[in-house]
Amino acid sequence: RLEIWLQKPVSPTALDAYLQCPARFFYERLAGLNPPDVVREGDDPAGVGEFLHAALQEFFSAYLNAPLPDNFPRVEDERRLAGIYLHRLAASAELAASLPYASYLMLKTTGLARLMGMLRKTPPGVNILSLESGLEAPLVVSGRKITLHGKLDRADLRRGGKPQGDNPLEVSLPGPLPSSTLIGGDEVEGMIEAYAGGEPVVMILDYKSGRVKESRKLGFWTPENPLWRAMDEWRPGVPPSAALGGDVLEILARDLKSLQLPAYMYLQQHQRPDLACHAAFVDLARSGEEKPLFPAHVLKDGGAERLRELYAAYIPALPTFVLRHLIECEEFNSRPGSHCAWCPYQTLCRRRV
């Protein structure tokens, strides 16, 4: 089953699923066990997420491949977003049927306010390069060529330099570019030439309407972190070194939280290796704030060059290790945690597979 699964493109979501719990990954993605049908009593997180993604895509599509207007968001920008949002909400009979009435009203008011908050945190000098674009990149793992595939919610071209205003990603947090089929090379080069005062970088944004898995582990992005050597030296059945203090995959899951942003950066860098990139979650469940993969103290105001250093040192190693662990592991062990409360396979998790 694993051989068949590896023949298809692997998504960042699948890598996250394995990182969180190998046993659930096995039941869900390899064994093909369908979760039991349940009557939903509460909110519809997936439906709300799809709705917010669609509203933002429609709104930002008017600015695709062009700089955002000066003083963005202007009054007319906010009015346009409100119109798109409320029209889509009124037209979504499925969402109205799936949500409790109180949650529907909350989405109508608070949800729109959070998107407005996201707009107001937009840094100056942003060019939107792509929206909902799919990218692919090869990975060679354990002697196999594996295709990594992911869809980027949004990719910006942003100017380099120090952050401004109240947005920690304002300038020196770069990110990826879109596929050449979405935006021509000449168009991108024209945008780059238009920037002054620092090399532009690409920022990948991943919208999150639920809980943001944000890493807060101090010292994670340093060569002194023993986890990097442990990942490189990991072999199935061989205990990790005492310096690590636990299972390699479990520590990675605890300290990094999510593999999605590194995987998106890998995809983007393969697409445009000449442009430095960075990535951030956008916390739509709260303030609309961007949560970058590399915090400010790691970037050290180094701009594009610092991002290139960080990428080369750490980013390719992350999806490579998780895939190698998945392929070579002897067992798909369960990983107890708060996520077990809503896992549809919890009755099976005591078994090793």
Side-chain angles (χ1 to χ4, degrees), residues 179-300:
S179 164
S180 57
T181 61
L182 297 176
I183 179 170
D186 291 341
E187 294 176 89
V188 175
E189 297 308 323
M191 291 181 187
I192 292 173
E193 290 175 3
Y195 280 96
E199 181 184 352
V201 295
V202 183
M203 171 61 76
I204 304 163
L205 299 181
D206 188 45
Y207 304 140
K208 291 296 181 186
S209 56
R211 183 173 64 91
V212 174
K213 297 178 180 179
E214 184 183 12
S215 175
R216 297 183 179 275
K217 174 69 175 179
L218 293 176
F220 183 84
W221 304 106
T222 64
E224 292 77 23
N225 183 354
L227 183 60
W228 300 108
R229 181 173 180 177
M231 287 193 296
D232 186 56
E233 295 178 348
W234 177 84
R235 299 293 181 273
V238 178
S241 67
L244 191 63
D247 177 76
V248 181
L249 193 71
E250 288 188 15
I251 292 175
L252 179 62
R254 181 196 70 194
D255 293 351
L256 183 61
K257 308 295 185 188
S258 172
L259 205 65
Q260 285 185 288
L261 295 184
Y264 292 143
M265 288 181 65
Y266 183 85
L267 288 167
Q268 179 54 50
Q269 200 67 34
H270 177 77
Q271 179 72 22
R272 284 298 300 260
D274 56 317
L275 290 170
C277 70
H278 196 201
F281 291 127
V282 181
D283 189 358
L284 298 180
R286 294 173 178 79
S287 62
E289 183 181 358
E290 295 175 0
K291 307 286 188 178
L293 180 64
F294 299 131
H297 73 272
V298 172
L299 289 172
K300 302 176 182 177

